[in-house]
Amino acid sequence: MTLTIHQLLTMGFWFALFILLLVILMAVDVALTQYNDFELIRRGHTAVALRFVLKLLAHALIISRSMMISQVVWDAVVISAYAFVLLLIVQWLFDLVMKRAAGIDMSKNIAENHMPSALLSGSLHVVGAVILMGSM
């Protein structure tokens, strides 16, 4: 396979654009958490870092799949943003169910460096991303 300059430039453009989109989505995600992700990570909170990394992976998976199925950039951006919103809704519902049914405050536990809560919450995002990828 021989790549043209146009294909390489297009790949670079899509890469840069979707790295920017990933940064924006993660910034929104951080702004919506009940604690300061970066401050807690700076202080060595492994649970917060684990959840952050799993959410980063989930969003990267969705962006990657949206790029694969889209012919134009705008479609991929809309699909990625829509999937992000769907994951936020799932996270909110999950947190609500955990609080009401099990008496577990996921955000509080994660902020207190509780690894099982971080693993469960972060895994929810990865599982959600895989399901969303299958629905695209």
Side-chain angles (χ1 to χ4, degrees), residues 4-122:
T4 66
I5 295 294
H6 180 266
Q7 289 170 317
L8 291 172
L9 290 174
T10 299
M11 183 180 84
F13 170 75
W14 279 58
F15 176 77
L17 178 67
F18 285 97
I19 288 293
L20 177 62
L21 178 62
L22 182 59
V23 168
I24 291 168
L25 293 178
M26 290 306 294
V28 170
D29 188 85
V30 165
L32 294 175
T33 58
Q34 296 177 0
Y35 48 84
N36 185 329
D37 293 69
F38 296 121
E39 177 58 32
L40 292 177
I41 290 170
R42 224 182 330 275
R43 288 196 272 158
H45 283 239
T46 310
V48 175
L50 175 65
R51 181 174 184 255
F52 184 88
V53 167
L54 289 172
K55 289 173 90 169
L56 182 66
L57 173 64
H59 296 308
L61 288 168
I62 290 169
I63 287 171
S64 174
R65 178 69 178 151
S66 71
M67 290 169 67
M68 289 171 58
I69 66 168
S70 299
Q71 295 297 313
V72 294
V73 169
W74 180 247
D75 289 347
V77 169
V78 169
I79 291 168
S80 297
Y82 180 62
F84 175 77
V85 170
L86 290 175
L87 280 179
L88 284 178
I89 292 168
V90 167
Q91 180 70 53
W92 178 78
L93 289 171
F94 176 76
D95 288 350
L96 184 66
V97 167
M98 291 302 287
K99 189 175 254 181
R100 296 239 170 107
I104 299 170
D105 185 335
M106 297 298 286
S107 289
K108 181 179 177 244
N109 282 0
I110 295 166
E112 292 174 355
N113 211 20
H114 190 250
M115 288 299 288
S117 294
L119 254 172
L120 191 57
S121 181

